[in-house]
Amino acid sequence: MSDRASVSRRALLLSSLGGMAFFGGGRALHAAAMGEDGMQCQAVGSGKVPPIPGAPRKLTIAWNEDSICTSAVPVAKEKGFFKKYNLDVDYVNFAGSTDQLLETLSTGKADGAPGMALRWLKPLQQGFAVKLVAGLHAGCIYLMTSQKSGVKSLADLKGKTVGVADIGGPDRNFFAIRLKEAGVDPEEDVQWRQFPSDLLPIALQRGDVQAIANDDPVAYLQRRQFNLFDLDSNMAGEWANHACCVIGLREKLVKEEPHVAAAVASAILEAGAWIPCHPEEAAAVFQPFAPKVSQADLAQMLRMQGHHHQVIDGPFRDEVIRYAEALKGIGVFRPSFNTSRYADRVTQDLLG
């Protein structure tokens, strides 16, 4: 999900790119082992929620149709997961800012939305009437560089410049966290420069930056077109088992109709768990939103994401705390910020 108004992901998705893509070995193998081999085809909390009785319940889900990482939403509709729970769901394309999206949920203009955890956590501090109810999947943020840069590790970025499309965005914040973990001060040792997303690899070629951060599907296409390789990602180390994208629902729905809220969350989670076991079919569902990209390429993007990881209830709350603590470490939240109290306020158990 993105706040970058000046960037058209659709333009990148619709471009016809030739050649073979570079796939980070560990990341691709991990996704394949947990997906197409059938080890994780059942959603977390599956079987705990009954269908809504009576007439189909009408709901609206907001999503960014340029973001393949949230393809569980159209998959849930196309493959009957919403229908299974007697939900009649319309979805609307939403490409505005995170604050606008959270306001849309708070005011009931939409009932739910998927989004990136690192994009939502700071704005949620403002008190929007939105509850985070589940982690949908891991993965989809990458730090890339070229052989020409001479950078081989996070430690090599000390004294270097990293290009991002949004100085306050999740890509910058995540790799600031990773740099700190690697012993590099993300404020003192590294410079961050903002460029339009489509110009990031050009800045790398010119030597204006020595690495660039981006997320799927843009990262996938840029990696192939500009012969880049992954320096790091949130599919490496412990972060491969932390939700990258989350499911948020309007608070009034969660409080007044918890059975409906649970059904919505279950349907999206089941669709998300179905994706890695049926990547070609899922790609076919998403292809109308990217008609000039091959189904094979779209399927590979889905394989590279961490659909092996879903999380709800207490473990999900723990992951929110982990993110919030990491954000404290890079100055996004103040040092005295009570992350446990914050997680209690913004998350909701639905499927336990």
Side-chain angles (χ1 to χ4, degrees):
M1 306 291 286
S2 177
D3 288 351
R4 306 163 195 162
S6 63
V7 178
S8 172
R9 285 179 176 240
R10 176 61 58 82
L12 277 167
L13 278 170
L14 299 186
S15 60
S16 297
L17 302 176
M20 295 297 292
F22 173 90
F23 305 119
R27 184 159 43 81
L29 289 173
H30 188 68
M34 297 302 291
E36 290 184 321
D37 288 351
M39 294 177 65
Q40 183 65 30
C41 296
Q42 188 173 25
V44 63
S46 182
K48 295 183 177 181
V49 179
I52 302 302
R57 180 66 160 81
K58 292 185 177 294
L59 295 161
T60 299
I61 302 296
W63 75 299
N64 185 338
E65 66 182 30
D66 291 339
S67 294
I68 193 170
C69 63
T70 56
S71 57
V73 172
V75 165
K77 185 168 185 176
E78 180 69 22
K79 293 299 178 179
F81 292 100
F82 286 135
K83 186 176 181 180
K84 171 184 173 180
Y85 288 95
N86 199 26
L87 301 173
D88 180 6
V89 172
D90 287 327
Y91 47 77
V92 294
N93 181 31
F94 192 97
S97 72
T98 303
D99 284 0
Q100 290 172 324
L101 175 59
L102 295 174
E103 183 67 22
T104 295
L105 295 178
S106 293
T107 58
K109 295 176 183 176
D111 298 291
M116 293 182 76
L118 283 173
R119 190 173 290 283
W120 283 29
L121 292 185
K122 178 61 175 177
L124 280 172
Q125 189 184 12
Q126 300 174 36
F128 289 104
V130 175
K131 292 291 186 180
L132 302 182
V133 298
L136 181 56
H137 67 77
C140 82
I141 305 177
Y142 309 104
L143 185 67
M144 302 178 291
T145 190
S146 65
Q147 294 292 340
K148 181 181 176 181
S149 74
V151 174
K152 303 297 182 184
S153 69
L154 290 173
D156 290 341
L157 286 173
K158 188 171 184 177
K160 303 293 196 302
T161 304
V162 177
V164 294
D166 182 355
I167 288 294
D171 303 353
R172 188 272 183 193
N173 285 340
F174 178 73
F175 292 113
I177 291 168
R178 290 288 292 139
L179 284 165
K180 185 161 187 178
E181 291 174 346
V184 179
D185 189 319
E187 298 299 326
E188 299 295 330
D189 296 336
V190 176
Q191 288 190 323
W192 303 86
R193 290 190 62 185
Q194 183 168 319
F195 296 86
S197 184
D198 55 341
L199 295 183
L200 282 170
I202 305 302
L204 181 61
Q205 286 184 324
R206 290 194 310 240
D208 295 335
V209 300
Q210 286 70 55
I212 60 174
N214 226 325
D215 50 282
D216 281 338
V218 179
Y220 177 98
L221 299 176
Q222 290 180 339
R223 184 186 297 111
R224 178 166 67 182
Q225 184 178 14
F226 295 93
N227 193 29
L228 307 180
F229 68 91
D230 290 345
L231 190 64
D232 195 34
S233 80
N234 61 349
M235 283 296 289
E238 67 166 297
W239 293 105
N241 292 304
H242 284 70
C244 174
C245 288
V246 299
I247 299 171
L249 301 176
R250 63 183 176 91
E251 186 173 30
K252 188 174 181 180
L253 180 72
V254 171
K255 297 298 186 182
E256 296 183 1
E257 299 180 89
H259 57 299
V260 175
V264 174
S266 294
I268 297 174
L269 287 168
E270 288 184 21
W274 181 89
I275 286 171
C277 301
H278 307 86
E280 295 290 344
E281 289 183 66
V285 171
F286 187 79
Q287 196 161 36
F289 306 104
K292 293 188 178 180
V293 181
S294 73
Q295 183 174 316
D297 280 347
L298 294 172
Q300 190 59 36
M301 293 183 202
L302 293 170
R303 291 186 185 99
M304 291 167 65
Q305 296 167 6
H307 293 281
H308 64 281
H309 181 75
Q310 295 183 337
V311 63
I312 57 174
D313 299 340
F316 178 53
R317 177 186 176 278
D318 291 342
E319 289 194 9
V320 170
I321 292 173
R322 175 71 177 91
Y323 271 124
E325 287 291 334
L327 290 171
K328 277 173 65 172
I330 62 169
V332 174
F333 290 128
R334 64 185 185 278
S336 61
F337 186 61
N338 189 320
T339 56
S340 179
R341 186 180 303 161
Y342 169 77
D344 286 341
R345 181 172 62 80
V346 301
T347 66
Q348 182 72 42
D349 292 355
L350 280 179
L351 303 174

